Amino acid sequence: MERGGAHIAFSHVGLVYDDGVEDIEALHDLSFEAAPGEAIALIGPSGCGKSTTLHLTAGLLAPTGGEVTVNGEAVGRPRQETAFIAQDLGLFPWKTVLQNAALGLVVRKVAKTEALERARAALEQVGLGGYEHSYPKELSGGMKQRLALARAVAMDADLLLMDEPLSAVDALLRESLQDLLLDLWLKRGHTQMLVTHSIEEAVYLGRRILVFSERPATLVADIANPDMGEASWRDSAGFAAKCHEVRSALAQGGERGAR
């Protein structure tokens, strides 16, 4: 099964938390929308609130000001149709590849036969067919990344949230996995939000690139990137120009945060 993408809206969102010593403002008056099926990349300085934005979208955190909605409904808890890939990938070492791929469905109480069938199909889509009975420790780093993606694909999510999922792999493998993410997005039509520190990755995978300031995060730039969507985009003059535009916006955000 495949579904259309989710609509995301942040309306004047703020988040303040207590770190045990003082109140810390993580986000300040953050507003943006993502249309159904859009691919959004979030980029900004370390610790500026990008991951916090993902957690708010996933319903894992609640804002202290403003509102976060998905498909018009305020996000008060995790949605069944949202898939979240954390930096550590969230794989269980004692479960097989097939069991890990089916885990999101099992948690959602999908019948076991259907869950395993959908997990097998997802593993085929990400190139892990034949590894169903292996364990995560037997997989390479890139294969583990693919397994985390398979879990999201099996869930038939309308919203895929990813927190630097490719940061731990080498450059060549990273490009290969970027191609896989792009292909899955083009085929499935889900809404996608990716946190990254890589300008090139943001420009390759984001149809829009949201540039954050230093903490407390505000939106420095919302950069349209309509030409992404082809593997050849990475080698084009337009890609280099868009990277320069994002780099300039990041520099502007750093200056704003230093004031």
Side-chain angles (χ1 to χ4, degrees), residues 70-88:
V70 176
N71 290 339
E73 297 185 5
V75 181
R77 59 181 181 177
R79 301 170 63 244
Q80 288 198 358
E81 302 84 5
T82 297
F84 188 103
I85 301 178
Q87 291 184 42
D88 65 2

Side-chain angles (χ1 to χ4, degrees), residues 178-259:
Q178 287 169 358
D179 290 342
L180 175 61
L181 281 174
L182 180 62
D183 184 60
L184 288 172
W185 173 69
L186 290 170
K187 287 179 178 177
R188 300 187 70 254
H190 56 259
T191 304
Q192 182 166 288
M193 188 182 293
L194 167 75
V195 165
T196 180
H197 280 98
S198 166
I199 293 172
E200 291 76 14
E201 187 164 89
V203 173
Y204 190 65
L205 292 175
R207 179 127 317 157
R208 279 170 56 212
I209 302 151
L210 305 186
V211 181
F212 284 15
S213 70
E214 296 275 1
R215 191 176 68 192
T218 57
L219 198 56
V220 173
D222 184 342
I223 298 173
N225 187 26
D227 294 327
M228 65 79 72
E230 299 285 344
S232 58
W233 170 235
R234 189 186 275 120
D235 300 318
S236 68
F239 180 85
K242 190 62 65 173
C243 287
H244 177 75
E245 183 179 353
V246 173
R247 190 171 287 107
S248 296
L250 283 167
Q252 176 189 346
E255 292 171 1
R256 185 174 299 181
R259 291 179 188 144

Side-chain angles (χ1 to χ4, degrees), residues 25-191:
E25 186 179 20
L27 302 179
H28 177 75
D29 196 29
L30 182 63
S31 295
F32 68 88
E33 292 190 37
E38 203 163 25
I40 305 290
L42 308 182
I43 193 167
S46 295
C48 73
K50 303 183 296 299
S51 296
T52 298
T53 300
L54 279 195
H55 283 81
L56 288 166
T57 309
L60 299 172
L61 287 175
T64 52
E67 186 178 53
V68 180
T69 64
V70 176
N71 290 339
E73 297 185 5
V75 181
R77 59 181 181 177
R79 301 170 63 244
Q80 288 198 358
E81 302 84 5
T82 297
F84 188 103
I85 301 178
Q87 291 184 42
D88 65 2
L89 303 181
L91 302 178
F92 290 97
W94 60 89
K95 291 184 178 293
T96 66
V97 165
L98 182 61
Q99 290 169 335
N100 268 286
L103 186 61
L105 298 172
V106 172
V107 169
R108 286 156 176 75
K109 301 189 185 304
V110 173
K112 183 178 180 180
T113 301
E114 180 185 349
L116 294 177
E117 180 181 336
R118 286 167 59 176
R120 285 191 182 93
L123 290 170
E124 289 288 344
Q125 284 192 57
V126 303
L128 285 180
Y131 289 91
E132 290 86 352
H133 303 296
S134 300
Y135 287 87
K137 68 180 181 180
E138 300 172 303
L139 304 181
S140 67
M143 293 168 77
K144 291 176 183 176
Q145 305 281 346
R146 289 173 181 268
L147 177 52
L149 284 173
R151 181 185 294 171
V153 171
M155 286 171 56
D156 190 35
D158 64 2
L159 175 57
L160 176 57
L161 306 174
M162 297 174 286
D163 193 357
E164 296 191 72
L166 310 182
S167 60
V169 297
D170 63 65
L172 287 178
L173 178 56
R174 188 166 185 160
E175 288 192 2
S176 173
L177 291 169
Q178 287 169 358
D179 290 342
L180 175 61
L181 281 174
L182 180 62
D183 184 60
L184 288 172
W185 173 69
L186 290 170
K187 287 179 178 177
R188 300 187 70 254
H190 56 259
T191 304

